[in-house]
Amino acid sequence: MRIRLIAVGQKMPGWVTEGYNEYARRLPAGWSLELCEIPLNKRTKSADVQRFRAKEGEQMLAAIGKGDKVIALEVKGKEWSTEQLADKLGQWHDNGDSLSLLVGGPEGMLPEISNSADVKWSLSPLTLPHPMVRILVAEQLYRAWSILNNHPYHR
């Protein structure tokens, strides 16, 4: 199963890159997690943020793999327990699905980008820092895999 994490933003702090890479590398062959970074346009007081969001959204859509199930990470999406995530990943894996997970920029995704997704997933009702979302998603994917494979990581 190929999972592509498509996230707005580049040049993350070292701790973000290290945390994400740690969990991505733990996934076994057949469960690849790829990061696709979309450049974040520089926000200034006079910047046209709507235009930036639209451009970032177009780039996110272009990065989605052909035939992928698209999951938008949205604060108003469905909240899943880790066990529910494992069940969903197991179903998608068994169906031969590949996934594209979308993480918007500081202002979030435009509604038309989010609404084009097959599923909306909320990690938390809290507003989370976007760099941290990368680590949380990678860790939860690894944890869900561990549940599906009776690995002791999830106790």
Side-chain angles (χ1 to χ4, degrees):
M1 169 182 252
R2 182 185 46 75
I3 304 169
R4 183 176 290 167
L5 180 60
I6 302 169
V8 175
Q10 295 175 303
K11 299 179 184 172
M12 294 291 119
W15 64 270
V16 173
T17 302
E18 289 173 26
Y20 170 84
N21 287 340
E22 175 64 25
Y23 293 107
R25 118 183 133 67
R26 288 184 187 190
L27 288 167
W31 286 77
S32 70
L33 178 58
E34 304 167 6
L35 178 61
C36 177
E37 294 180 312
I38 304 299
L40 175 68
N41 290 290
K42 186 172 180 169
R43 270 56 171 175
T44 62
K45 289 181 182 179
S46 61
D48 185 350
V49 174
Q50 284 302 99
R51 185 173 58 84
F52 288 169
R53 287 175 68 202
K55 182 178 179 186
E56 293 159 1
E58 289 170 11
Q59 291 175 304
M60 290 174 78
L61 292 176
I64 294 170
K66 184 176 176 141
D68 280 10
K69 181 168 287 298
V70 179
I71 301 165
L73 278 86
E74 287 281 352
V75 73
K76 293 182 181 172
K78 293 180 183 179
E79 293 182 27
W80 301 327
S81 68
T82 302
E83 291 79 5
Q84 289 170 319
L85 174 61
D87 287 342
K88 289 181 184 305
L89 281 175
Q91 291 168 11
W92 293 328
H93 179 269
D94 292 348
N95 290 339
D97 293 329
S98 289
L99 307 177
S100 283
L101 308 177
L102 307 180
V103 179
E107 296 85 15
M109 283 179 262
L110 289 176
E112 51 267 30
I113 303 299
S114 177
N115 291 336
S116 70
D118 298 305
V119 178
K120 293 180 189 176
W121 173 27
S122 174
L123 294 177
S124 169
L126 299 171
T127 301
L128 300 171
H130 289 245
M132 191 166 289
V133 167
R134 296 176 186 209
I135 300 170
L136 291 173
V137 167
E139 192 279 337
Q140 283 300 294
L141 292 172
Y142 175 69
R143 184 176 294 275
W145 171 86
S146 74
I147 290 170
L148 292 171
N149 291 278
N150 297 315
H151 187 280
Y153 179 79
H154 181 73
R155 297 171 211 214

